[in-house]
């Protein structure tokens, strides 16, 4: 059987233009489609492999006009790879403005695609979500999904299980994020309000998943405006406050904090922290918490907040609170689980980063003071971390040096630290690609700084420029001389 299929493939591959020889090609393809009706897995998967290659050569219009029936059959095929093949090709059709009408007018195909969201295999469900998301890029597509009996089909599929319900939510959030108009369709369907209602449900795991979905919706400006109008920011702030008395809060609290962390970056750190003080207080509490999950989320959030000038100023205003958190970050970077050490180093790097155009006297003084809060000898502390036999720690430490390399006070510390410039220029430290890239980024930051030549001295600066010119992976040639008769 496999041999006969391979011979068919050879015949088809001889067709120079499959569109021009459509009728001949259709006859041959019908043979392969018919061979999908088999219990032999190898035969089915070989047919799928062949069809994948051939169908991609056909235009979406050609597919829609000539292979609708075959693709519809694929959506209910017992083999998951056939379902994925059909969904992928239907996804191509719905993206095409001329071909999409064939799908919009076919109730059975649309219903079958929606039912695929309820499939056990996640890959099938994901492909179905992607296909329906593409369909929603047009008004006719939105009309079909949300203003026809397809909406009832979606709601019926949602009732299958908690897992499937959240797959539908994923689709709805993805569509809502496209534009204010698409959000309007989703809101009018009541699916968004149903999702928001699950934020305060009894099941803490469902609450945590709902928070993730709402955070995704908040990535778009129109999504954030909608959530604000629905009072969701206040609701999540109250949930953070109430978490103190909930023994299961550790399951959903990280998601609530991530929500506000993302909100602060996309809007205004100052506005978010001042309007929702429970968020900032909780981040500081979590940084000092013994639970590694809480610490990790706090570190990531502090890094996000501190990546902007406004965020740095907000953190600085908290005075001693932030100083104690920074000391904790330093301790975590120096010892403990590798994951938390890396996240600490990354967060510290973000806190200390200042772009050249941001380097006012006040902000330079701020980052310098934070660096010195890390340790009595912060250069030695970071250098020690960089020499440990863990590539991710080495790169994290270099990230901090890169952050301060553009700032005059950082360059002064580097030139005054014995052997530091030799360490920077030594290509033998850190042999992984990531380590070489991190070292190259550090050298690049120094070379690009307008103050480096004066502070570091011309000799070091020339060597740094040479390093930069040679690239991150340069290896100097070493001459060897062999002596005849030597052992």
């Amino acid at each position: 059987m496999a041999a006969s299929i391979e011979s068919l493939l050879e015949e088809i591959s001889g067709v120079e233009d499959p569109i021009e020889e459509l009728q001949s090609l259709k006859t041959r393809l019908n043979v392969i489609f018919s061979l999908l009706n088999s219990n032999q897995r190898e035969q089915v998967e070989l047919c799928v492999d062949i069809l994948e290659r051939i169908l991609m050569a056909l235009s979406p219009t050609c597919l829609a006009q000539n292979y609708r029936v075959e693709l519809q059959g694929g959506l209910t095929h017992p083999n998951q790879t056939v379902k994925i093949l059909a969904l992928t090709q239907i996804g191509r059709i719905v993206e095409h403005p001329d071909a999409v009408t064939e799908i919009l007018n076919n109730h059975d195909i649309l219903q079958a695609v929606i039912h695929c969201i309820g499939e056990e295999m996640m890959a099938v469900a994901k492909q179905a979500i992607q296909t329906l998301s593409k369909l929603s890029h047009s008004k006719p597509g939105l009309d079909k999904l949300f203003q026809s009996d397809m909406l009832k089909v979606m709601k019926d599929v949602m009732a299958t299980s908690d897992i499937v319900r959240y797959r539908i939510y994923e689709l709805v959030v993805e569509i809502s994020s496209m534009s204010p108009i698409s959000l309007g369709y989703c809101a009018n369907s009541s699916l968004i309000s149903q999702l928001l209602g699950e934020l305060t449900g009894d099941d803490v795991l469902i609450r945590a998943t709902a928070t993730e979905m709402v955070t995704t919706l908040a990535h778009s400006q129109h999504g954030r405006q909608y959530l604000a109008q629905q009072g969701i920011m206040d609701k999540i702030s109250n949930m953070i406050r109430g978490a103190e008395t909930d023994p299961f809060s550790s399951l959903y609290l990280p998601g609530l904090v991530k929500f506000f962390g993302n909100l602060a970056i996309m809007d205004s750190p100052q506005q978010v922290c001042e309007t929702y003080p429970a968020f900032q207080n909780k981040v500081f509490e979590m940084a000092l918490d013994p639970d590694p999950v809480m610490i990790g989320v706090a570190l990531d959030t502090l890094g996000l907040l501190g990546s902007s000038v406004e965020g740095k100023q907000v953190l600085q205003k908290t005075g001693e609170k932030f100083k104690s958190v920074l000391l904790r970050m330093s301790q975590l970077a120096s010892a403990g689980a590798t994951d938390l050490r890396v996240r600490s180093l990354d967060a510290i790097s973000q806190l200390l980063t200042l772009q050249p155009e941001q380097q006012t006297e006040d902000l330079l003084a701020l980052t310098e003071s934070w660096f010195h809060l890390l340790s009595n000898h912060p250069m030695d502390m970071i250098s020690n971390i960089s020499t440990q036999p863990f590539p991710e720690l080495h790169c994290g430490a270099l990230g901090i040096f890169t952050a301060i390399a553009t700032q005059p006070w950082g360059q002064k510390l580097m030139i005054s630290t014995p052997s530091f410039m030799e360490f920077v220029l030594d290509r033998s430290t850190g042999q992984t690609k990531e380590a070489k890239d991190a070292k190259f980024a550090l050298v690049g930051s120094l070379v690009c700084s307008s103050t480096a030549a004066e502070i570091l001295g011309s000799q070091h600066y020339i060597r740094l420029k040479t390093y930069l010119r040679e690239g991150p992976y340069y290896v100097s040639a070493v001459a060897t001389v062999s002596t005849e008769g030597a052992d």
Side-chain angles (χ1 to χ4, degrees), residues 165-166 169 192-217 226-227 230-240 246 252-253 255-256 259:
R165 184 166 81 257
Y166 272 88
Y169 285 149
I192 291 284
S193 57
Q194 187 176 336
L195 168 62
L196 298 181
E198 303 217 29
L199 281 172
T200 51
D202 294 331
D203 189 321
V204 291
L205 292 177
I206 286 179
R207 204 183 302 174
T209 309
T211 304
E212 285 182 27
M213 296 281 182
V214 173
T215 300
T216 302
L217 183 57
Y226 175 79
L227 293 173
Q230 301 300 312
I232 297 305
M233 280 68 162
D234 292 325
K235 181 180 283 189
I236 292 179
S237 179
N238 290 333
M239 288 171 69
I240 289 176
D246 185 352
Y252 61 85
L253 188 56
L256 302 180
F259 172 83

Side-chain angles (χ1 to χ4, degrees), residues 82-313:
V82 179
K83 285 191 176 82
I84 292 171
L85 170 68
L87 287 165
T88 302
Q89 297 306 319
I90 293 169
R92 290 181 61 218
I93 294 170
V94 301
E95 280 185 306
H96 196 281
D98 297 328
V100 66
T101 309
E102 300 284 352
I103 301 298
L104 289 173
N105 294 334
N106 194 312
H107 177 281
D108 293 337
I109 286 183
L110 279 175
Q111 182 171 303
V113 171
I114 293 171
H115 276 285
C116 282
I117 297 178
E119 284 289 327
E120 186 176 346
M121 187 177 179
M122 191 60 191
V124 174
K126 284 283 186 188
Q127 196 63 53
I129 290 169
Q130 189 177 333
T131 298
L132 291 169
S133 178
K134 290 174 180 176
L135 180 68
S136 304
H137 279 84
S138 67
K139 186 180 183 300
L142 287 167
D143 287 339
K144 194 68 179 177
L145 274 182
F146 295 103
Q147 293 185 349
S148 75
D149 56 351
M150 286 301 122
L151 179 58
K152 183 181 183 303
V153 174
M154 278 200 285
K155 290 183 176 180
D156 289 343
V157 171
M158 283 181 81
T160 307
S161 67
D162 289 344
I163 291 172
V164 175
R165 184 166 81 257
Y166 272 88
R167 289 177 185 171
I168 296 287
Y169 285 149
E170 181 183 339
L171 169 64
V172 170
V173 167
E174 196 169 311
I175 293 171
S176 298
S177 300
M178 293 176 189
S179 71
I181 292 173
S182 60
L183 173 57
Y185 275 88
C186 295
N188 291 335
S189 74
S190 78
L191 292 174
I192 291 284
S193 57
Q194 187 176 336
L195 168 62
L196 298 181
E198 303 217 29
L199 281 172
T200 51
D202 294 331
D203 189 321
V204 291
L205 292 177
I206 286 179
R207 204 183 302 174
T209 309
T211 304
E212 285 182 27
M213 296 281 182
V214 173
T215 300
T216 302
L217 183 57
H219 286 168
S220 64
Q221 186 175 2
H222 62 271
R224 293 195 295 279
Q225 288 173 345
Y226 175 79
L227 293 173
Q229 290 165 3
Q230 301 300 312
I232 297 305
M233 280 68 162
D234 292 325
K235 181 180 283 189
I236 292 179
S237 179
N238 290 333
M239 288 171 69
I240 289 176
R241 288 196 186 94
E244 294 177 9
T245 57
D246 185 352
F248 299 106
S249 64
S250 61
L251 295 171
Y252 61 85
L253 188 56
L256 302 180
V257 170
K258 285 179 185 177
F259 172 83
F260 276 117
N262 282 289
L263 199 64
I265 292 307
M266 289 178 285
D267 282 345
S268 158
Q270 182 175 346
Q271 183 180 338
V272 169
C273 291
E274 288 181 356
T275 309
Y276 309 103
F279 157 63
Q280 185 174 284
N281 292 335
K282 183 56 67 175
V283 172
F284 286 174
E285 281 179 32
M286 289 167 68
L288 303 173
D289 197 288
D291 184 345
V293 174
M294 296 295 180
I295 296 169
V297 172
L299 291 171
D300 296 344
T301 306
L302 287 164
L304 274 175
L305 281 174
S307 63
S308 69
V309 167
E310 187 180 315
K312 287 176 170 62
Q313 292 167 333

Side-chain angles (χ1 to χ4, degrees), residues 426-443:
D426 184 0
R427 289 183 179 272
S428 68
T429 61
Q431 292 303 302
T432 65
K433 178 184 181 300
E434 292 76 15
K436 291 177 185 294
D437 288 340
K439 176 69 76 71
F440 190 70
L442 169 56
V443 171

